[in-house]
Structures are given as C-alpha cells and as structure tokens.
Amino acid sequence: MINRLRTWLLKLPRHKKRLIQVVADVVLVFLALWMAFVVRLGIDEMINPVKMHLWLFLAAPVVAIPLFIRFGMYRAVMRYFGNDALVAIIKAVSLSSLILGVVVYWYSNHQNVVPRSIIFNYWWLSLIMVGGLRLIMRQYFLGDWFAAAQHVPFTSREDGLPRVAIYGAGAAGNQLVAALRMGRVMRPVAFIDDDTTISDRVISGLQVYKAKHIQRMIDVTGAQEVLLAIPSSSRGRRREILGFLEGFPLHVRSVPGFMDLASGRVKVDDIQEVDIADLLGRDSVPAQDELLEHCIKGQNVLVTGAGGSIGSELCRQILELKPMTLLLFEHSEFNLYSILSELEQRITRNSLPVKLLPILGSVRDQAKLLDVMKTWRVDTVYHAAAYKHVPIVEHNIAEGVLNNVIGTLNTAQAALQAGASNFVLISTDKAVRPTNVMGSTKRLAELTLQALSRELAPVLFGDKSNVSRVNKTRFTMVRFGNVLGSSGSVIPLFHKQIKSGGPLTVTHPKITRYFMTIPEAAQLVIQAGSMGLGGDVFVLDMGEPVKIVELAEKMIHLSGLSVRSDKNPHGDIAIEFSGLRPGEKLYEELLIGDNVVATQHPMIMSANEDHLPWETLKIKLTELLAAVDQDDYSRVRQLLRDTVSGYTPDGEIVDWIYQQRRLEP
C-alpha cells in the first residue's frame, strides 16, 4: 500500500504535486498559528483562538504562501531536498512571521489583543512543521526510512543489498553515501578514515572506523566491499591503502577523481574497479607548458593511427592545446568514427577554435599521405600507426614489415616532401634487442628516421628521378613500454578472467613489464617531441618493472577473492602459466646501450643509439621489400638480423603462410 501510494505520487504531473504542497502548507500554517496560541495560553482555559482572531488565521496563509512561492519552495524536488532548500524555508518562514507580526501590530485592537509571544511561537512551530514535513517526505520518496539511523535501536533490517564501507569520510565520501542510498543498489554501512579526530564518530548515520580496525568493522557490519572515496589523494598514498586492504576479504573499488567529476564525464556514484595505476603508485610529473605547446598551438597537426589507444589519447591532448587544424588519419572506419565523435563533442562543449578533419587512409599509401600534408600544410606529424601485438605480428611477418617499416618510411618521406617542421615516431621498448618481428620492425623504423634526419638533401627511397629533396623536418622518436588499458594489454584480460571465475593466465612466473598510463605516456610524447635537434631517441622513465604474476595476485585480492594454489587449494581463482608466446621476452629494456643523458624534463632521457647511413639503409629496405614480395620469410628474418642490432629471433619462423607452405607436398 505504501509503495503503491509512493509510486502514484511520483507519477503525478508537476502542477498537481505543487497544488498538494500548497494545500499542505496552508494547513500547516493554520495549525502552527493555532498551536502558537495553545503554547502561550494553555489548553484548559483557552478561548477558541479561531473565533477570537479569525482575521489573523486568514492573514497567516495569505502572507506565507506568496513568500513560499517567491523563495522557490515549490520548485524543489522532494527526493533531492538538501541544505539549500532548508535555508530557503528558514528565510521564507522568518520573513512571513515578521510580516505577520507587523500586521498584528497594525490591526489588533484593545479588546482583542494578540500576545506578542504568539508570533515567536508561530515562527518556530512553522519551521518545524513546514521543514519537518519536507524532510519526512524526502525519506518517504527515497523509500528508506532508516537509512541514516543505523545506530538507532530497533531500526536495523536486512534488505538484501550488498554491504559496502566507504574509505574516506570527506565530501566525496558523503556524496557517495547519499548517491548509494538514493540508488538503492548498495547499502553503505560504515566509513573508514585516517583522520583520528573523527574516528569512532558517526557521520551521515555511519560509524567511522580507523584503518587499523577494519577487521572489527567487517565483523560488526558484515561489509563485503570497500569503495575508495579519496579522489584527491596521491597515487603513492592510494598504493599504500590498496596494499593494506589487500589483506582483507573485501572487493575494493573506487569513485572517480575530481577532474572527471568536474568535466561531467562521470558522476560521483559511477563506481569503477580500482585503477591499476594506483597499484603502481607513481605520481605523474607536472607537464611543462612550453614543451606541450611548442609543436601544436596554432599549427596544423596530423596524427596517424588516430583511432588507436595511443593515437586517440594524443588527439585528446592535442585538441586541448588548440592547434589550428587537427587531422585524424586512420585506416579503421569504426575507430575513426569513434574518436571523431568524441572530439566533436569536446569542441562543442569547450568552444574550441579547432578545425577537425577525419581522413580515412593507410600509411602504406605515400601518395595520399603527401597529398594530405601538402593540402593542409601540416606542421607536425605524430606517427602512432603500427601493428604492435607481438604474437599476431609474429604470425603475420609481411604485414608487420609493410605497416611498421614501410608505413613509417612513407609517412616520414611525405612529411619531408611537404616541408613539415616536426615528425614524432611513437616507438616501443620492444625495439631494444628484440626477439620478435614487431620489435625488430619498430627498431628498423627508428633507424629509418635516424638515417633521414642526418641527410640535408636526401634522395628518397623509391624515387626513380634521383632528385635530392631539401630536408627541413626534425625527426624524433619516443620509446616507452606498455600502457595500461591499451589494445592487447594484460589488464583488461585479467578483469575479464576474474569476472568469469578464472583462471588468470600468465605466460611465465618471472615475466616482467614496464607500465605507464595512456594519458601520461601521450603527454610525455608531446613534450619529448618538442625537444632535440633531429634523430634523437627519447626514452620515457617508466619506473620500476612489474612482475605480471604479482599484478595478477593483487587484482584477485582487491576483487575480494583469494588465490587458489598448492598452499591454498580452496582459494577462489587460480593462476595458470601458459608459457611464453612466439617472440615474447621475459624482460623488456628501454636502452640498447648505456649512453643516455638527461633532458630538461625529469621523466624524459635522450639515448645515443647506433645508426646506419641513408644510402646503406635504402639498400637494406630494397632487399627487405623484395623478400616480402617473394614470401621468403627466412630471408626477411636474416635481413632483419643483419640490420637491427641485437635482434635474436626466438625459435622457428611462425608466419602462417610460411608454415602452411612448408607442410604442402
């Protein structure tokens, strides 16, 4: 019955809801005035005040209701009734009482004197009745009468909702509690906070526990999850908290940061899994504005692979730096559509003076690249287009060579011919002493740019006219490791495997990788691209390498589960080792040698790597293309070994076409 009445009231048209509120307030004002006489004169000997002062009982709602309307009391939505609405009620009731007092002073006569204390009594009784009714109705429409009365006797009840504790009793934590109570998907049962001044107190009806008392909190409240509501804390501090929570049987999740909330991308109740970047615990270094803007602001910028994980983030950050034109070059129609739609919304929302141009094409088409760069007079090129999934490229050697090597060559030569000022290659740590085709092709792409950068007037590869071209382009390369959340990253795979009940698959117990967030990597790429004289190989500081098996264990623990192993055969999720995949290394490196120097940015180093002369490299590229055309992958592999320093293929050739031909009679 109560639920049906609530549903009926909520479905009423807005004007009918307001009419009900007005009628209720008229009754409450009338009742408050009558009670004011009762409090002042008593009930036993009091003469009927309505009969004695009818004019006053008519004047009270006539004075109050217009003021209630003026102060917006009938515009507030009961379910979201908050402090601002309470302040409006106090102002409206106080002013109406003051005006009624003036009316009493002007119109009362000596025979029917109205005691002056009646007005004071009327004021506080109106506040209680008018404000109290709204607070009661708010709880009624929320459907949870005892949400904020956890410590009131006889009010606890079991509603079947997951019980969650909130880590952080600040503004974000209290907003989260209100959102959870309104959404009725989870039931907040406690706060956890490091501030000793509020420990053991009650905030928003919830007990505040110290971090060291988490086990007691679990025993008392039955909490199953912890939601981190500490968006302003550093990554280092979050890593400490996650490390501490890992020892408890709690699923740990978090709420978004302040910047995401302020931008409108997410809401405070958008719960998400713990950011793996918090497990790394490294805070990003503030960007240097002059480096960010040097190659972008007011210029025409082209990004190849604009729809990929790195390319799309580059586009987002470039857009905020206000180039004149941003060209999105992408061979995947869906990826191009996705990033275009997102950037168009940002331009509209922030009124950015940027022309956005989506271009569907392949980096294998040098003629189209040159046409685009000349037509739009491109100043800066960020070359992010590449095949980068190690096992897939290992099975598709020809595609890896054509896309990673020839695609980079085509883009670089088009930039040189078009007179672009800057060219930045997004490279990888797998280019260092590679054991796979992907890494070796990326290193060969680096060698191509290094060779071109040292030529003042090179004869371009494939140019039969043998005409020298003036080189005005500054070529730089930025090398870094894995980025969290990129395509092919292990993190989304682990999340998916945990949701399906496991097991988590790790290739080797000792395998390690460097990790960095996509936004941080893109920001550093932009800054590194602004430095150097040409031919520079910049290396990003990736921090300490992470053991993948330890990362898997942490993700299981922070999901509120346990690792199943020989020591714990009754655990929830097992970790299985599948063996290294074709071309995969145990350890990645960022430098070929030890010859590295610091730059003006603390997170960016410059590596002095060996290089080949342009004419020598052109001969190698010609031979490589011929071997690819002939499907001679033994020759391709040998040419890569001869050209790329430190390339040591791991095992037999695993190209699918080559393998099938070997099996044919």
Side-chain angles (χ1 to χ4, degrees):
M1 179 64 183
I2 293 178
N3 289 333
R4 285 202 299 270
L5 177 61
R6 182 193 306 120
T7 303
W8 179 78
L9 287 172
L10 289 173
K11 288 182 178 179
L12 284 176
R14 186 65 185 153
H15 67 278
K16 290 187 177 180
K17 292 178 182 178
R18 288 180 175 176
L19 180 60
I20 292 173
Q21 286 181 282
V22 171
V23 172
D25 284 342
V26 170
V27 173
L28 290 176
V29 166
F30 192 93
L31 184 60
L33 186 58
W34 185 82
M35 287 294 296
F37 279 94
V38 172
V39 171
R40 172 64 177 83
L41 302 175
I43 194 70
D44 296 331
E45 300 180 2
M46 184 184 72
I47 300 173
N48 187 354
V50 178
K51 190 174 182 179
M52 290 285 295
H53 307 285
L54 180 61
W55 65 273
L56 183 58
F57 280 86
L58 295 175
V62 170
V63 171
I65 299 303
L67 287 173
F68 290 179
I69 295 172
R70 180 66 182 85
F71 278 88
M73 287 172 54
Y74 303 116
R75 292 196 297 269
V77 179
M78 285 294 181
R79 283 168 290 172
Y80 309 117
F81 190 79
N83 293 337
D84 53 343
L86 284 175
V87 171
I89 290 173
I90 292 171
K91 290 179 179 179
V93 170
S94 299
L95 186 58
S96 67
S97 300
L98 182 62
I99 293 174
L100 189 64
V102 174
V103 171
V104 168
Y105 176 77
W106 279 351
Y107 291 99
S108 62
N109 52 50
H110 293 290
Q111 286 74 28
N112 292 318
V113 175
V114 177
R116 284 173 290 183
S117 60
I118 293 296
I119 300 302
F120 175 74
N121 291 339
Y122 166 73
W123 172 73
W124 65 264
L125 285 167
S126 295
L127 282 179
I128 292 174
M129 292 182 178
V130 175
L133 177 64
R134 281 162 169 77
L135 290 174
I136 291 171
M137 294 307 294
R138 179 183 69 175
Q139 291 303 111
Y140 173 67
F141 286 125
L142 287 176
D144 193 352
W145 290 96
F146 306 114
Q150 185 172 313
H151 298 278
V152 178
F154 312 114
T155 60
S156 61
R157 61 189 177 90
E158 183 56 52
D159 51 15
L161 298 178
R163 293 172 171 265
V164 299
I166 314 297
Y167 201 115
N174 278 273
Q175 290 179 50
L176 180 59
V177 167
L180 292 177
R181 285 172 173 164
M182 194 171 297
R184 294 187 56 75
V185 177
M186 300 177 179
R187 185 174 184 81
V189 295
F191 277 118
I192 306 168
D193 203 281
D194 301 320
D195 187 353
T196 57
T197 62
I198 61 172
S199 61
D200 298 325
R201 295 193 179 185
V202 174
I203 296 178
S204 296
L206 302 179
Q207 179 79 33
V208 182
Y209 290 86
K210 296 179 182 178
K212 64 182 180 180
H213 295 152
I214 289 181
Q215 188 57 57
R216 188 178 75 187
M217 181 272 296
I218 296 173
D219 296 337
V220 172
T221 65
Q224 302 158 292
E225 295 191 28
V226 170
L227 304 181
L228 299 182
I230 45 175
S232 60
S233 63
S234 66
R235 280 208 184 123
R237 177 58 188 146
R238 292 171 76 90
R239 182 183 184 182
E240 292 177 8
I241 293 171
L242 290 174
F244 180 72
L245 293 175
E246 194 180 344
F248 298 95
L250 295 167
H251 184 183
V252 183
R253 293 195 281 176
S254 65
V255 296
F258 282 138
M259 293 306 296
D260 290 330
L261 294 172
S263 66
R265 291 194 293 268
V266 294
K267 303 184 292 295
V268 72
D269 57 339
D270 282 340
I271 308 300
Q272 57 196 21
E273 294 297 331
V274 170
D275 190 349
I276 302 302
D278 293 335
L279 292 177
L280 305 181
R282 189 184 65 177
D283 292 306
S284 58
V285 175
Q288 298 180 17
D289 293 339
E290 66 277 7
L291 291 179
L292 284 176
E293 298 176 351
H294 180 71
C295 298
I296 295 176
K297 191 170 184 179
Q299 301 186 36
N300 299 320
V301 181
L302 170 71
V303 179
T304 68
S309 50
I310 292 294
S312 60
E313 181 61 29
L314 279 170
C315 291
R316 294 182 192 101
Q317 297 197 22
I318 289 169
L319 191 70
E320 299 300 323
L321 296 170
K322 299 179 181 177
M324 183 182 298
T325 308
L326 177 56
L327 296 93
L328 315 174
F329 197 90
E330 172 62 54
H331 81 284
S332 167
E333 183 183 29
F334 175 76
N335 287 353
L336 184 60
Y337 168 76
S338 298
I339 188 61
L340 175 65
S341 302
E342 178 186 336
L343 296 182
E344 284 178 336
Q345 291 176 8
R346 290 191 179 210
I347 288 175
T348 302
R349 185 170 61 241
N350 300 326
S351 302
L352 297 173
V354 181
K355 181 182 288 186
L356 202 60
L357 297 172
I359 300 171
L360 201 59
S362 170
V363 291
R364 297 187 191 180
D365 188 346
Q366 183 174 337
K368 179 161 189 174
L369 284 164
L370 178 58
D371 188 34
V372 168
M373 293 187 198
K374 279 187 173 180
T375 301
W376 295 100
R377 297 174 182 170
V378 170
D379 299 295
T380 301
V381 177
Y382 291 96
H383 182 52
Y387 289 144
K388 57 188 179 182
H389 194 278
V390 170
I392 290 180
V393 177
E394 200 72 11
H395 288 301
N396 296 272
I397 295 174
E399 293 301 308
V401 171
L402 293 174
N403 203 64
N404 293 356
V405 180
I406 305 306
T408 300
L409 175 67
N410 290 342
T411 311
Q413 291 194 150
L416 188 149
Q417 289 178 273
S421 302
N422 309 288
F423 185 101
V424 183
L425 169 68
I426 285 75
S427 191
T428 171
D429 58 354
K430 294 173 178 61
V432 179
R433 281 185 277 271
T435 59
N436 50 68
V437 173
M438 193 281 277
S440 62
T441 54
K442 290 296 285 184
R443 177 56 187 150
L444 190 50
E446 291 182 356
L447 287 169
T448 301
L449 298 191
Q450 287 177 299
L452 271 177
S453 67
R454 285 166 172 79
E455 297 292 323
L456 296 178
V459 176
L460 299 184
F461 179 80
D463 188 352
K464 297 179 180 179
S465 65
N466 209 33
V467 175
S468 298
R469 310 278 181 172
V470 177
N471 186 0
K472 298 180 180 178
T473 306
R474 183 174 59 88
F475 294 98
T476 56
M477 294 135 275
V478 186
R479 188 187 292 163
F480 55 92
N482 297 273
V483 287
L484 297 171
S486 66
S487 59
S489 172
V490 72
I491 308 302
L493 174 63
F494 283 169
H495 277 307
K496 184 177 179 180
Q497 290 175 336
I498 289 172
K499 286 183 179 179
S500 63
L504 268 62
T505 53
V506 179
T507 55
H508 194 280
K510 294 183 179 179
I511 193 168
T512 64
R513 288 293 181 266
Y514 291 98
F515 285 103
M516 179 178 283
T517 64
I518 294 178
E520 184 182 7
Q523 188 183 81
L524 290 172
V525 164
I526 294 172
Q527 294 176 90
S530 300
M531 299 188 290
L533 301 175
D536 305 85
V537 178
F538 292 107
V539 180
L540 304 187
D541 181 358
M542 301 291 295
E544 294 298 320
V546 177
K547 289 189 72 172
I548 302 301
V549 67
E550 291 181 358
L551 187 62
E553 290 172 352
K554 287 180 181 293
M555 291 181 65
I556 292 172
H557 291 151
L558 293 174
S559 297
L561 304 170
S562 60
V563 179
R564 189 189 311 146
S565 63
D566 294 338
K567 295 181 179 179
N568 183 23
H570 302 294
D572 301 301
I573 294 182
I575 296 177
E576 294 182 355
F577 298 104
S578 57
L580 291 176
R581 297 171 296 180
E584 193 170 38
K585 295 171 68 174
L586 271 181
Y587 312 103
E588 299 291 1
E589 304 169 89
L590 291 168
L591 297 170
I592 295 175
D594 298 325
N595 193 358
V596 61
V597 295
T599 68
Q600 63 193 89
H601 195 289
M603 298 285 286
I604 303 173
M605 300 171 289
S606 178
N608 188 6
E609 307 282 29
D610 294 333
H611 62 278
L612 295 173
W614 176 238
E615 293 302 321
T616 303
L617 187 64
K618 286 200 295 182
I619 295 172
K620 295 289 186 181
L621 292 175
T622 302
E623 295 176 355
L624 186 63
L625 272 180
V628 170
D629 288 339
Q630 297 165 12
D631 289 335
D632 188 352
Y633 296 112
S634 294
R635 178 63 177 156
V636 169
R637 174 171 283 201
Q638 186 58 47
L639 285 168
L640 289 175
R641 293 186 70 170
D642 294 342
T643 310
V644 176
S645 175
Y647 175 45
T648 52
D650 183 21
E652 295 294 323
I653 296 173
V654 289
D655 186 278
W656 292 127
I657 297 175
Y658 182 86
Q659 286 183 320
Q660 183 62 28
R661 285 181 178 172
R662 288 181 61 187
L663 295 174
E664 292 176 355

